Amino acid sequence: MAAAIANERLGRGYPIFYMTVPDLLDNLRATYSLESEMPYDDFFNQMRNAPLLVLDDLGVQTGTPWSREKLDQLFTHRFNCELPTVVVAIVPLEKLEERLHTRLTDSRLCRTYVVEENSSSSPSYTGGLGLELLKRMTFDNFDYKRVNLSPEQRENLEHAYREAISFAQSPEGWLVFQGVTGCGKTHLAAAIANYCLQAGKPALFIIVPEFLDHLRATFNPESQVSYDQLFESVKNAPLLILDDFGEQSTTLWAQEKLYQVINYRYNARLATILTTTCSLDEIESPISSRLADPRLSLVLNIMAPDYRTDLRSNQKRVARGGRKGR
């Protein structure tokens, strides 16, 4: 609805400024850099005095003193000047900082609409590697006929295999693989990447905890890659594969960075694959709501157990057979 307001005003030729709160704070931080094309004061004043400002996803940002101060300055200025502002909050208003809460609930200036979630329409699904090993994960060596699976599990695994091939042939939309460790989700995601790379199409495969570690490392003065370079390359990859989502540390900073990647790619409709051992209920709602959007995303819950159980079962059968032979 906020985006619809922005588009309607733009369609009528009126200027608007639309940005998510985490992106706003990131861009504001970036103005401190000597390489910034826009000084801090110019950017902040542009936001403070925009004829119409649309701020999306208030509540996702990290709650540092600096971010609280900047948001307070922004909202206070626009409140006092009674400048038109649209705010999308992903948390109840009473959970916001007191000063923000006071301004956003002032009946003389603000109108608040609570959009209730329809829980029945929100589907619930239950559900490290070396580069050389990833390269060897192809469709040709993926075993979807594992002998120790039940017929239902084998059919489910073959369905995931067919969907993965279809996606690799035409990478569009989002594909989410859920399941326990060792069920085959990383193999299928890597197989898609290898298929695309062999066809001359770009694909970026990243393991989420390692990506966040690399992102933190860019703050080191000795880093050869800047934060912006790494972050933008991930956000804008034509095909991005996020492996082991949910295994990362759950700091506010990590949540914010992953949200920014997910939200950007969701809005830009960029092809994305995600593997996770988590159910959607276990993932933060600003992210899970995008992963569950049936207009863009296909969620596949792989029912197969860890393939290592097959290996152990086969080893036991071989051992028993050997004893009988003796």
Side-chain angles (χ1 to χ4, degrees):
M1 286 186 283
I5 293 172
N7 287 326
E8 177 69 19
R9 296 298 290 174
L10 287 172
R12 297 186 182 188
Y14 295 101
I16 69 103
F17 206 118
Y18 185 109
M19 187 171 285
T20 67
V21 172
D23 284 340
L24 161 66
L25 294 171
D26 265 3
N27 287 333
L28 203 55
R29 292 184 191 102
T31 61
Y32 294 133
S33 169
L34 297 177
E35 300 176 356
S36 175
E37 297 180 358
M38 181 178 291
Y40 168 89
D41 289 340
D42 289 353
F43 178 72
F44 199 47
N45 285 330
Q46 187 180 64
M47 297 292 297
R48 292 200 307 172
N49 297 300
L52 171 60
L53 177 64
V54 182
L55 287 175
D56 199 4
D57 289 325
L58 176 66
V60 174
Q61 74 281 353
T62 55
T64 63
W66 180 86
S67 65
R68 290 196 295 267
E69 177 187 334
K70 296 303 118 181
L71 289 177
D72 179 61
Q73 291 174 342
L74 176 63
F75 277 98
T76 297
H77 177 81
R78 295 189 68 83
F79 180 84
N80 291 335
C81 296
E82 298 188 2
L83 293 171
T85 307
V86 177
V87 178
V88 178
I90 60 97
V91 297
L93 295 184
E94 57 268 19
K95 292 187 178 181
L96 296 173
E97 297 291 325
E98 183 179 356
R99 288 170 63 85
L100 291 184
H101 175 266
T102 300
R103 284 155 178 72
L104 294 179
T105 56
D106 190 316
S107 59
R108 296 170 300 172
L109 185 63
C110 299
R111 285 176 291 174
T112 302
Y113 297 94
V114 179
V115 180
E116 297 290 345
E117 180 182 11
N118 183 356
S119 58
S120 63
S121 64
S122 301
S124 174
Y125 303 88
T126 303
L129 294 169
L131 293 178
E132 289 304 315
L133 181 57
L134 288 172
K135 290 178 182 177
R136 294 199 296 270
M137 292 181 176
T138 66
F139 290 122
D140 289 339
N141 60 24
F142 184 81
D143 182 14
Y144 62 84
K145 298 180 179 179
R146 289 165 48 182
V147 295
N148 293 325
L149 298 183
S150 68
E152 182 183 12
Q153 290 173 330
R154 194 173 298 116
E155 181 180 355
N156 169 265
L157 191 58
E158 182 177 0
H159 174 66
Y161 170 77
R162 302 296 179 195
E163 290 290 350
I165 291 178
S166 177
F167 188 96
Q169 294 170 342
S170 180
E172 295 179 357
W174 288 19
L175 194 56
V176 179
F177 292 113
Q178 291 179 303
V180 300
T181 300
C183 70
K185 55 188 186 296
T186 293
H187 190 139
L188 289 175
I192 293 172
N194 288 323
Y195 183 99
C196 291
L197 290 172
Q198 289 174 5
K201 299 177 182 178
L204 178 59
F205 187 107
I206 64 174
I207 300 171
V208 172
E210 293 183 6
F211 162 60
L212 293 171
D213 281 347
H214 289 310
L215 201 57
R216 292 185 189 97
T218 62
F219 296 120
N220 188 324
E222 298 179 0
S223 175
Q224 297 181 354
V225 179
S226 72
Y227 169 90
D228 288 339
Q229 285 177 317
L230 177 58
F231 200 53
E232 292 302 315
S233 67
V234 173
K235 279 174 54 178
N236 292 289
L239 170 59
L240 175 65
I241 299 169
L242 295 169
D243 192 37
D244 283 342
F245 192 94
E247 301 299 320
Q248 71 280 353
S249 60
T250 55
T251 64
L252 289 174
W253 181 86
Q255 292 173 9
E256 178 183 291
K257 296 304 116 183
L258 291 176
Y259 167 77
Q260 287 176 281
V261 170
I262 293 291
N263 186 60
Y264 179 86
R265 297 186 66 83
Y266 177 84
N267 290 330
R269 294 302 195 257
L270 292 172
T272 306
I273 298 170
L274 187 145
T275 77
T276 182
T277 59
C278 301
S279 69
L280 294 188
D281 289 340
E282 296 171 317
I283 298 174
E284 294 80 8
S285 59
I287 293 178
S288 63
S289 65
R290 287 155 176 77
L291 300 182
D293 187 342
R295 299 169 299 177
L296 179 68
S297 181
L298 174 62
V299 181
L300 296 171
N301 176 30
I302 299 178
M303 299 164 55
D306 189 339
Y307 73 92
R308 297 173 189 83
T309 60
D310 293 355
L311 297 177
R312 287 193 292 268
S313 297
N314 291 335
Q315 289 171 352
K316 289 179 180 177
R317 280 198 295 270
V318 171
R320 286 196 297 269
R323 286 194 295 270
K324 290 178 180 177
R326 288 194 294 272

